[in-house]
Amino acid sequence: MEQELRTGGGGNLRAAHSSVCFSGGLIDGPRIQQLLLHCATALESNDVTLAQQAMWVLNNIASSQGDPSQRLTSWLLRALVARACRLCGPAGATQSAAARAPAPWERAMSVTELAEYVDLTPWHRFGFTASNGAILRAVVGSAAVHVVDLSVTRCMQWPTLIDMLSKRPGGPPALRITVPSARPAVSPQLDVSDEEIGLRLANFAKSKGVQLEFSVIKCGCPSPSPTSSPPKKQAALCQDLASVLSDRQSLGLRDGEALVVNCQSWIRHVAPGSRDAFLDADADLDSPSLATRIAGCFDFHWILFDALDTSAPRDSPRRVEHEAAVGRKIESVVGADDADGAERSESGARLAERMRRNGFAAVVFDEEAVGEVRRLLSEHATGWGVKREEDMLVLTWKGHGAVYTGAWTPN
Amino acid sequence: MEVEATPTTAVSSSGGAAQLPPPGPPAKKKRALPGMPDPDAEVIALSPKTLLATNRFVCEICNKGFQRDQNLQLHRRGHNLPWKLRQRSGKEARKRVYVCPESSCVHHDPSRALGDLTGIKKHFCRKHGEKKWKCDKCSKKYAVQSDWKAHVKTCGSREYRCDCGTLFSRRDSFITHRAFCDALAEESAKARAEAPPAEDGSSAAAVVPPPAPPPPPPPAPHHAEQRNEPETNATEPVQFAPPPPPQVPALSQTSVSAAKVSASSSSSVAGTSQSLLGGMFAPSSMASARQFPDLVGGVGRPERALPAKPPSLCLATDASSSIFSAPVSAERQQFAPPPPSPSPHMSATALLQKAAQMGATSSSSSFLRGLGLDVSSSSPGASSSGQQQHHQEAMQVSLPDTSLPQWPPRLETEPAPMLSAGLGLGLPYDSTGAQVCLPELMMGQSSLFSGKPATLPELMMRDGRAVVLQPIVQRLAPPKTFGAGRGAQTTLRCQS
């Protein structure tokens, strides 16, 4: 009797004759994954019965408070159920997001909470540190620097840059930071406005002797309402971004400034077709096949879940917020098959290729920047590492690539 | 990009022929799948004993054992081997990855294998081993000696304190926090009002390590007496100079939430006092030395001194002065017995059996009910008081009178503490409107299935009979608690 899981027909999960048997005992990682894939296959072929059965079993295993596999499974299951409900018909299914009370991890955070959130693991700060290192090197000799910041972490990157700039031999440059008022409607959500952030940053910069000018670009369209569908939101955001980024005047570019465009986790929200312009997660999660995407999700997101398990207790609110953020991403990846409406991240290699095609050359991170990154990682749990991959830096957890960051300059 | 369903396999075999790296610059490096470091790697699964054996590398000539491969190679040279024997087998060219022997561990899965032997050894000790190395200063415990050594070097050595009272061990975190903290805003407001601001060194205090705090009862008087000194100095209107080493372990076990609370409550506190310490403690009046004994003694009277904070924030009853917020709590909390996980008593087979009996439901609301899920509720269990509740919600279905034909009766007698009985969904109906009975369901002949023979129930059966299941059932291991692998089952002595 076979002990292992096997699928017939090579890697193609949609093969008609899969024969799988579970040997007795525990349901663990590979088996959960197998169940998830079966569920996905069932959904793709509109097989409600099979999907339901698989979900039933998964529901027994999943727990948002258990070990990393259980937690990740619970989010994946949520996404699958949401999708299945749409499949079964709109009648009486889920209440709209607006109607139900927000869960604890969905409510907006304060700035200090966000700072804590960002620093729970090196996931975000890895990119901050590497990018800041690259920025510092790129603006050597410039008296004025203008940063256009497209990030999901609301300026958490800049205090350390300001600090580094304040110590620059020869004195700090005059710094300008510009953010667009439109942004992807993803977590983390802050309870303060951009202007307020700008005020505090400017205050901080002043205390360090750095002159900072902060501006918010008002984007043409009003923010999409929370209840509008993802494709509409997507389209609106694209439009906003495109209009803002292509208009020199609206960006307020000035001559004589070194311009830095900082793109953190935004690329995935922009429809693949229009991604021509890098902190992003290192996974190709945009296959048209649901099963492939789910496998990709499991294979990738466990990394953060495992790291969080090492870095925070099971009931830590920041940890749950991180996991919920991943849950939302999963829901987006699982929910829609056509890539336009949802979040689709692509791996570093593909982004690099895209940048090259559009006339950018990669800027290598110097040893100092890498040293700073290593120093950062040494302050966190053992298990985090960094490696170079084709001019980019990749954050690794127990050897598995998690996040990549790169820098480019026009040819 | 196709993803293989089966990971690169089981024990000591690999999923592909060994490939020599292409000569010269590789045209296109094979892109690894997300989470899979090297698809061609050879997966090695060692038993715990072998994994921890100190001398894994054995010389084939004289049987002498070595901890490291390099040492073995050096030794072999000394044997003056003839040329042929000097070469090692071509296996060395292939990358090896190692899985954790603990079957419930996430790294037991080959696709989450770790790339080096030392790494998997350390992981195994850390996660599944006994923590034998203890830090004297903060009583953190480690299973791996090198972890312990690394910790002892840094324990209590560098601390950054923000005006709002939060302590940081990482400089970047401190800088970022400070930039946005309310405390800075107030300082600047004061500074603008009163005097030109001094150098911003106020909070970047790399303080001398505080003496190891004694166990809980003594800290109260201990702190009081230490704090009196800084307090008497700190009464200038604008206090920017760093205070003498604060002896305050500002974070308690619930430090994650405490930090948050301190940050948010500082806004209510600030603006009224002018000393750094006063800003941390006194809600309405100037902090003075006299107040401290009160505060210190006020562990049981939080409402007076610390309106919004848990009392343990400032007067950490916990002896540990470690300023690691999340990681420290994590460490401690990991020692507490983990909450009971769901489905400890259900084996894979039993779950599948039950699932197989569920019928299809057509509308989405009953679909949800059938699963026992309510997507509109706040979370998959996060709001519950424990997994038990979550679990029971899921299984509130009742057994129909239309009994389950021919299915092994063991199902009813099977102990299933998490479930209340079987199904309530009704059996599926075929196109003629008749109820489909179970064997047909099992065989997947029913017209309900859209032509795909692969179904979950069928997956368990061959020839319409529970053939496959029988052998499975016979081999059922006693039910293990899911995720229980965390506690050490055996005593492992881990070094480095």
Side-chain angles (χ1 to χ4, degrees), chain A residues 108-241:
Chain A
M109 305 183 208
S110 71
V111 261
T112 28
E113 285 173 342
L114 181 60
E116 216 181 284
Y117 173 89
V118 152
D119 277 315
L120 195 58
T121 67
W123 196 270
H124 298 278
R125 194 163 286 288
F126 164 78
F128 295 174
T129 308
S131 304
N132 286 347
I135 293 174
L136 213 61
R137 194 159 148 227
V139 302
V140 155
S142 300
V145 177
H146 182 194
V147 173
V148 174
D149 185 24
L150 311 171
S151 77
V152 296
T153 49
R154 312 289 294 277
C155 295
M156 287 292 133
Q157 180 170 347
W158 308 123
T160 36
L161 180 67
I162 292 173
D163 182 58
M164 283 156 80
L165 286 174
S166 73
K167 298 176 182 147
R168 192 170 80 150
L175 181 62
R176 283 175 62 216
I177 297 179
T178 303
V179 300
S181 64
R183 78 173 51 78
V186 292
S187 58
Q189 298 290 345
L190 255 194
D191 63 1
V192 297
S193 64
D194 290 322
E195 285 79 4
E196 172 73 24
I197 291 180
L199 271 176
R200 293 187 188 227
L201 258 188
N203 201 16
F204 172 72
K206 190 154 164 222
S207 77
K208 291 269 176 185
V210 178
Q211 177 198 336
L212 171 63
E213 194 187 314
F214 189 88
S215 22
V216 179
I217 305 178
K218 291 285 176 234
C219 294
C221 319
S223 320
S225 69
T227 52
S228 58
S229 67
K232 290 212 191 84
K233 278 194 234 190
Q234 191 54 247
L237 181 65
C238 279
Q239 228 176 333
D240 286 348
L241 274 185

Side-chain angles (χ1 to χ4, degrees), chain A residues 337-358:
Chain A
D337 279 325
D338 74 78
D340 279 334
E343 205 178 299
R344 292 286 183 262
S345 65
E346 63 183 359
S347 68
R350 284 174 49 185
L351 176 65
E353 180 52 43
R354 194 188 287 274
M355 296 298 285
R356 273 194 291 273
R357 256 188 290 128
N358 283 280

Side-chain angles (χ1 to χ4, degrees), chain A residues 3 27 113 167 200 400, chain B residues 35 171 180 260 475 482:
Chain A
Q3 281 283 345
I27 293 192
E113 285 173 342
K167 298 176 182 147
R200 293 187 188 227
H400 294 266
Chain B
R171 188 166 177 273
F180 294 111
K260 171 181 85 164
R475 291 162 66 160
F482 195 90

Side-chain angles (χ1 to χ4, degrees), chain A residues 241-265:
Chain A
L241 274 185
S243 69
V244 160
L245 293 175
S246 56
D247 184 359
R248 261 189 78 104
Q249 241 183 339
S250 76
L251 275 180
L253 297 183
R254 296 175 196 163
D255 292 326
E257 278 181 335
L259 176 67
V260 175
V261 179
N262 188 57
C263 224
Q264 184 227 0
S265 301

Side-chain angles (χ1 to χ4, degrees), chain A residues 1 3 5 7 11 13-14 16-28 30 32-34 38 45 47-50 52-57 59-65 67-68 70 74 78 81 84-85 88-89 91-95 100 103 105 107 111-113 116 119-120 125 129 155-156 159-160 163 167 197 200-201 203-204 206-208 282-284 292 295 298-300 302 306 309 311-315 317-318 347 349 375-376 379-380 382 389 398 400, chain B residues 1-6 31 34-37 103-104 106-107 109 111-114 123 126-127 147 169-173 175-182 184-185 188 192 200 256 259-260 263 326-327 329-330 333-334 338-339 341-343 347-349 351-352 354-356 358-365 367-368 370-371 373 375-382 384 387 390-391 394-395 419 425 449-450 452-457 459 468 471-472 475-476 480 482-483 486:
Chain A
M1 213 331 240
Q3 281 283 345
L5 255 46
T7 52
L13 293 153
R14 281 181 277 198
H17 300 282
S18 345
S19 57
V20 175
C21 44
F22 291 129
S23 60
L26 215 48
I27 293 192
D28 56 8
I32 296 179
Q33 213 161 346
Q34 202 66 16
H38 276 292
S45 48
D47 185 343
V48 174
T49 313
L50 180 54
Q52 190 181 29
Q53 288 161 352
M55 287 179 188
W56 194 98
V57 179
N59 194 34
N60 270 275
I61 302 162
S63 162
S64 68
Q65 293 157 319
D67 71 21
Q70 288 173 293
S74 80
R78 260 171 90 90
V81 169
C85 287
C88 291
T94 54
Q95 300 170 13
R100 65 180 159 85
W105 62 83
R107 58 160 194 72
V111 261
T112 28
E113 285 173 342
E116 216 181 284
D119 277 315
L120 195 58
R125 194 163 286 288
T129 308
C155 295
M156 287 292 133
T160 36
D163 182 58
K167 298 176 182 147
I197 291 180
R200 293 187 188 227
L201 258 188
N203 201 16
F204 172 72
K206 190 154 164 222
S207 77
K208 291 269 176 185
D282 199 10
D284 284 317
T292 310
F298 204 92
D299 277 339
F300 177 71
W302 83 269
D306 190 47
D309 195 51
S311 314
R314 288 192 170 188
D315 55 357
R318 297 293 93 77
S347 68
R375 186 195 54 80
L376 164 74
E379 291 176 334
H380 282 267
T382 341
E389 216 173 76
K398 293 183 179 171
H400 294 266
Chain B
M1 180 181 68
E2 291 277 64
V3 174
E4 286 216 288
T6 323
R31 177 87 188 112
M36 176 107 71
S103 55
S104 65
V106 63
H107 293 295
D109 176 359
S111 69
R112 306 213 197 323
L114 299 184
H123 154 78
R126 271 185 212 121
K127 265 290 177 73
D147 290 345
S169 62
R170 299 179 210 133
R171 188 166 177 273
D172 292 345
S173 314
I175 290 178
T176 309
H177 167 92
R178 179 157 169 76
F180 294 111
C181 181
D182 294 333
L184 179 64
S188 315
R192 273 193 291 273
D200 180 52
V256 174
K260 171 181 85 164
S329 323
Q333 299 230 3
Q334 273 169 6
S341 316
S343 67
S347 66
T349 344
L351 276 176
L352 288 168
K354 289 224 149 67
M358 285 163 45
T361 50
S362 49
S363 80
S364 53
S365 52
F367 178 86
L368 288 180
L371 283 179
L373 300 172
V375 177
S376 63
S377 72
S378 56
S379 82
S384 72
Q387 283 80 3
H390 155 74
H391 213 64
M395 298 307 142
L419 313 174
L425 307 164
F449 300 104
S450 47
K452 291 234 180 220
T455 66
L456 203 54
L459 299 177
V468 167
I472 292 176
R475 291 162 66 160
L476 267 185
K480 275 160 72 172
F482 195 90
R486 239 161 253 284

Side-chain angles (χ1 to χ4, degrees), chain B residues 217-228:
Chain B
H222 179 68
H223 287 143
E225 123 199 312
Q226 283 173 335
R227 213 170 297 131
N228 285 343

